[in-house]
Each structure stands twice: as structure tokens, then as C-alpha cells.
Amino acid sequence: MDILFASSEAHPLIKTGGLADVSGALPRAIKNNGQEIRLVLPAYPAARRNAGSLREVARLDLPGDPAPVRVLQGRLPHTRVRLYLIDSPAHFDRDGGPYSGPDGKDWPDNAERFGLFARAVCALAMDRAGLGWKPHLVHCNDWQTGLVPALLSLEDKRPATLFTIHNLAYQGLFPRADFERLGLPPAWWSMHRLEFFGQLSFIKGGLVFADWLSTVSPTYAKEICTPEFGCGLDGLLKARRDHLAGILNGVDYQIWNPGRDRLIPHTYTARTLRLKLEDKLVLQRTFGLPVRPETPLFGHVGRLVEQKGIDLVLELVPELLQRPMQLVLLGTGQPALEAALREASRRHPTKIGARIGYSEELSHLLEAGSDAFLMPSRFEPCGLNQLYSLRYGTPPVVRRTGGLADSVVDATGPNIKNGTATGFVFDKAEPADLLRAIDRALNLYAQRRIWKQLIDHGMHQDFSWNRSAEAYLGLYAKVLVEHNR
Ligand code: ADP
Ligand code: GLC
């Protein structure tokens, strides 16, 4: 099979969240399975820098775009996956993140930027760049690639399309003027196509036009068909239910492996947990907390947004202060949450350590050095940090939703007895429920033998990409059979 994988971020080129982890790892796993898969991304400055050697292989004249767009070719670092970067300096050559500027505000021309990206991906997919390669299937990811299946639907002899939802809450909504500016077919301004309550919705391009849809866990696939999780799109998704799959993400164990992680001071395995304790001491020191080996240390890494439920933790601060525990948090996001975390650690420097920022290195240290990992998400399409936590012997405390529900087994009495427990699961997105789960964790932490069993079992879970890649290959095959019928 020949597959073109389109994404707006991929580790180690550029990353804001889990989408980058997936786009950096899944193509490699599929390539290792013997399929030809190529990755295409916008040529942000960071992506160009991190990609290493690149050469121009084509120039595209895209409708509506004054300057020709260059296609740069290289490799996704440390893999055999061919990489294409879409180089349009007016759209992508600027300082800041892939979606927002240095001030944290969305780029005002995001519709144009990802509209152009979609047109370039279509040109590659239709082999209009003269590269002599036409994929059988284009795998699109999140709203930034939503227009790809829509635009391809206008083509004769087009490849099949799969659209993966990594997070339904981000939809790429823009004013009608952007719809006009992009020169999209007027008939698409309809609630059955790209219009969504008076706005242009990029994600609907994927949801309406792709041959198949998937999302990143079986539970989230069910959840998004309900009003509670559907973000206004549950009706559409329910109607397409028989073309919606749920495949749990995997973990890149080359990057997330405590046995050979180059970003942590002491590597360890399930048999050398005393070295994990050394990492804990470094973590306490790094976050300015009193260095206390015996005090249970809870960690969190993530985007500071409502989705992740960190406000629940903040609400619990008075309760947590009364317990023999410490808390370390790393994240960036909403200014109010950033300020609240800073304030909490300033006021309680012996109990709470917070770093506002993005740091690959600290995120690894935090996974390694924490005793337990907090992930009280309101919704979580898949979630990767709970999977990393399992491998790092850091039992996750999670809400029963999305991929969290699909990957963590609650430490109930029976599950502890039969050796299946891997973490702590609670139901309602309320402080009291979270607190009960934290208390259960503290209680078990004090029972050293059982805690060790819990760690050991988590560390031996296998969420490697191979398994997920096989599921994707099965899905690709199914999509192709239908497409060619
Ligand atoms: P999401 O994609 O919703 O942000 P995931 O759990 O799927 O959530 O993935 C988040 C990824 O981003 C993880 O690899 C996590 O370690 C990383 N990450 C998030 N925030 C930070 C941060 N402040 N510093 C370093 N890594 C971060
Ligand atoms: C999204 C989701 C997260 C998921 C990631 C990768 O950003 O919020 O749950 O793990 O995409 O699929």
C-alpha cells in the first residue's frame, strides 16, 4: 500500500501535543510493516531545522496562490519515512508556534495557511507535483487537514481518504469571509457540508467527505456520538457511525523507555526501582521541594486547558496540603491556569512545585521521578501521558473517559488480587471524586508490597505502536476495498 500521511505537527520536527507523538511514530511503525508511507507537513522554521538535510523536489502552482510553493524532501529523523515539507514562506516561515504567534494568539490567517496546506497535499495526492508517486490512500489528521478529503472529493480517480479525529473540541472554525476567500464551491456553504452555525468548519471537511473516520480510542469513538462529548457534531458522527473506527494510540518505546531514556539522570527497569527513587530526589530538587524519599510525589504534565481538569486539582489544594504528599506540575496554556499554578507553588513551596513552560527534558524527568501521575481529564480522546506513566512505574490516577478508560485498570480489591490493576480510575469530573482516587493511591502507596506489584504490572503493559499500526493497516485495507468497489 502507498499512503500519504498529512499532519500539522510531528515529533521531533515540531510538537504542541499528542498529535505530534502520533505523527512521529505511526508512520514509522507502518513503514516497518513493509508499506510505503510518506509524511507531509508545513515547512515551519522549526520543522526545517530539525529535519536536517532537505532538497527541493517540486514546485506547485496552486489556484489562488500568487507564488509557487516549494516541496522539500527529506526524512523523518531516525526513520526511513520520506518527508515532504510544504514551503510557502508567506504562510509558514514565521517565529512562533504552528497555530499561534509568540503572543499565544491564533495566527489571523490560519484558514488561509491550512487551506493552502490542504491544496498542496491534494496536489501531492493526485501526483501533480511530478514526483511519479500516487498514494492509494491519504490519511488526514485533525482540522488542519480537514479540507483535504473535501477537495479530493472533487477529483477523478482520487485516492481513498481516512480522517482521524485526535480532538473533536478543536474544529478550525472561521468566518464566512474565509470561506469566500478560499474559493470553495458555493454549494459547500450548507449545514450538510462545511457550514457550522454560520461559520466555516475545517473539521467538517474531514467528517463529511472522508471515506472513513477514526478516532484515537474505542471509548472516545462511542463518546463523540453523544451530545455530552460531540461538541455539536454528534448528529453527524452518529449518522456515520458505521464508518467510524476507534484505534488506541501506541507509545514510541524508543523515546519513552525508562531503561534507556537519555533525558533522565538515572535509567531504571522494574528490577532496579531504587534508581527511580534517585530520579525522584532529582525531581524534588529541580522543583525546589524538600528532598524526601518517603513522601509520595504526584506529577502532572500537560496543556493547561479545561479539557485536562487541572482546575479540579487546584480546587483540592487545601485538602492536599493536609496530606503527606507533594505535587509537581509542568504545563503551558490558559493564562488564568498558569497564574493559579504559579500562585499555588509560591504559597506552598514545600508541597507544590510548578513550572510554566514547555520542556521535553522536564517531562521525562517528571514521568520518571513521580510516584503517581494525575490525569483528571474531562475528556481525553486517547491521552499519552498515562501510557508513558505506566511504562515509567508511575501509576496514573485518571478519570474514566476516552483512552484513559481504555488503558488504565482500576486498583479495586478484585483487580489487585487477580493482578490486573495498573492505576486509579474515578468517574465524575468533580474534586471529591478525584480526591477519593488520590486517597486510594496514598493508601496503597503505604502498602509497599502491593504498590510494587501495581508498578510492576503497569511497567509490563504493552502499548507499543506495532499493535496500533496493525489495526490501522487493517482499516486502510478495508477503506481501500470499499473505495475500489
Ligand atoms: P494532548 O495531545 O491533548 O495535549 P496527550 O496526552 O495525547 O495530550 O499528549 C501530550 C504530549 O505533549 C505528551 O507527549 C506530553 O508529554 C507533551 N506535553 C504536554 N505539555 C508539555 C509540556 N509543558 N512540556 C513538555 N511536554 C509536554
Ligand atoms: C489529542 C488528544 C489526546 C490524544 C492526542 C493524540 O490532542 O487530546 O487525547 O492522545 O490527540 O492522538
Side-chain angles (χ1 to χ4, degrees):
M1 263 185 273
D2 290 303
I3 303 125
L4 181 61
F5 191 97
S7 179
S8 56
E9 48 182 281
H11 182 79
L13 303 173
I14 182 147
K15 167 166 166 177
T16 70
L19 173 61
D21 292 351
V22 174
S23 306
L26 175 58
R28 185 180 63 204
I30 287 179
K31 177 93 184 172
N32 288 346
N33 200 292
Q35 314 297 328
E36 179 58 18
I37 183 162
R38 302 183 183 183
L39 174 64
V40 55
L41 245 73
Y44 317 106
R48 294 175 62 157
R49 251 191 334 269
N50 295 329
S53 127
L54 290 164
R55 68 189 172 90
E56 179 183 322
V57 289
R59 272 175 192 243
L60 299 170
D61 283 309
L62 298 174
D65 203 55
V69 167
R70 299 196 310 152
V71 181
L72 309 177
Q73 178 181 304
R75 293 218 174 270
L76 178 66
H78 319 299
T79 74
R80 295 179 295 125
V81 175
R82 188 171 295 186
L83 169 72
Y84 296 122
L85 294 181
I86 301 304
D87 184 27
S88 173
H91 295 95
F92 301 120
D93 195 3
R94 34 178 105 164
D95 292 335
Y99 322 122
S100 52
D103 58 359
K105 292 208 183 84
D106 281 354
W107 295 112
D109 56 347
N110 270 345
E112 254 172 77
R113 297 171 73 235
F114 292 104
L116 172 112
F117 181 57
R119 286 194 198 280
V121 171
C122 287
L124 286 183
M126 295 305 295
D127 194 22
R128 272 192 211 114
L131 299 176
W133 181 76
K134 187 170 176 189
H136 301 114
L137 182 142
V138 184
H139 186 167
C140 304
N141 296 275
D142 272 354
W143 73 262
Q144 294 85 350
T145 59
L147 290 189
V148 174
L151 293 170
L152 280 176
S153 77
L154 301 170
E155 303 278 355
D156 253 0
K157 304 212 177 89
R158 64 168 177 88
T161 49
L162 169 66
F163 182 79
T164 297
I165 303 159
H166 294 264
N167 195 332
L168 194 61
Y170 298 95
Q171 304 183 351
L173 296 178
F174 301 96
R176 176 158 191 172
D178 281 323
F179 177 82
E180 313 285 346
R181 199 170 300 130
L182 288 172
L184 297 168
W188 287 0
W189 191 261
S190 141
M191 64 177 282
H192 301 294
R193 294 291 184 263
L194 302 188
E195 187 262 350
F196 185 67
F197 296 102
Q199 289 192 287
L200 161 63
S201 163
F202 268 51
I203 203 170
K204 280 185 80 178
L207 303 187
V208 171
F209 287 96
D211 297 322
W212 262 81
L213 308 175
S214 76
T215 186
V216 287
S217 68
T219 295
Y220 193 60
K222 287 192 205 121
E223 287 173 339
I224 54 179
C225 295
T226 68
E228 190 188 347
F229 294 93
C231 304
L233 293 162
D234 40 294
L236 169 55
L237 288 162
K238 214 162 137 189
R240 297 212 63 193
R241 206 175 215 159
D242 56 343
H243 282 75
L244 168 62
I247 300 176
L248 199 70
N249 288 332
V251 176
D252 189 337
Y253 287 127
Q254 292 200 13
I255 297 173
W256 295 96
N257 175 352
R260 41 173 199 203
D261 185 335
R262 267 177 266 137
L263 296 179
I264 60 177
H266 305 273
T267 54
Y268 61 91
T269 66
R271 268 183 272 145
T272 55
L273 288 174
R274 65 195 154 73
L275 293 168
K276 176 174 171 65
L277 184 62
E278 295 294 326
D279 287 328
K280 173 173 174 178
L281 308 184
V282 176
L283 179 60
Q284 287 172 323
R285 221 171 286 131
T286 307
F287 276 74
L289 293 169
V291 177
R292 295 210 181 110
E294 70 293 343
T295 302
L297 177 58
F298 287 71
H300 174 82
V301 182
R303 293 179 296 115
L304 298 174
V305 292
E306 205 193 319
Q307 171 191 351
K308 302 290 176 182
I310 275 311
D311 51 305
L312 302 177
V313 178
L314 282 165
E315 269 190 65
L316 283 177
V317 164
E319 308 285 343
L320 301 182
L321 292 175
Q322 292 169 23
R323 286 160 171 77
M325 61 180 279
Q326 296 173 332
L327 197 57
V328 287
L329 305 120
L330 166 67
T332 52
Q334 287 166 7
L337 284 171
E338 291 186 349
L341 283 190
R342 274 205 195 94
E343 178 63 10
S345 83
R346 197 188 56 79
R347 289 181 57 181
H348 313 291
T350 61
K351 302 283 269 186
I352 303 176
R355 279 293 170 83
I356 306 306
Y358 187 93
S359 162
E360 219 49 67
E361 196 165 335
L362 278 182
S363 73
H364 283 245
L365 174 63
L366 208 142
E367 283 290 1
S370 302
D371 290 305
F373 194 90
L374 294 179
M375 226 163 147
S377 308
R378 291 200 163 74
F379 67 94
E380 196 61 78
C382 176
L384 293 168
N385 278 109
Q386 85 280 14
L387 303 178
Y388 305 153
S389 300
L390 290 171
R391 182 51 59 109
Y392 280 71
T394 310
V397 179
V398 305
R399 177 154 181 255
R400 196 185 314 279
T401 183
L404 301 175
D406 292 335
S407 58
V408 181
V409 180
D410 192 21
T412 59
N415 289 346
I416 293 173
K417 263 211 194 84
N418 66 27
T420 55
T422 57
F424 303 86
V425 186
F426 65 97
D427 282 293
K428 289 206 199 87
E430 285 167 13
D433 257 39
L434 169 60
L435 186 60
R436 267 193 294 277
I438 292 176
D439 279 338
R440 287 199 290 130
L442 285 171
N443 184 9
L444 227 57
Y445 182 82
Q447 304 178 47
R448 298 310 295 167
R449 199 177 49 83
I450 301 183
W451 187 261
K452 248 196 106 216
Q453 271 172 19
L454 185 73
I455 289 185
D456 196 68
H457 191 62
M459 290 183 85
H460 286 97
Q461 297 294 302
D462 179 12
F463 288 100
S464 63
W465 266 110
N466 299 347
R467 201 192 299 177
S468 311
E470 264 169 40
Y472 275 105
L473 285 172
L475 180 57
Y476 292 166
K478 184 148 98 181
V479 179
L480 280 178
V481 167
E482 262 186 35
H483 179 71
N484 294 331
R485 250 211 297 268

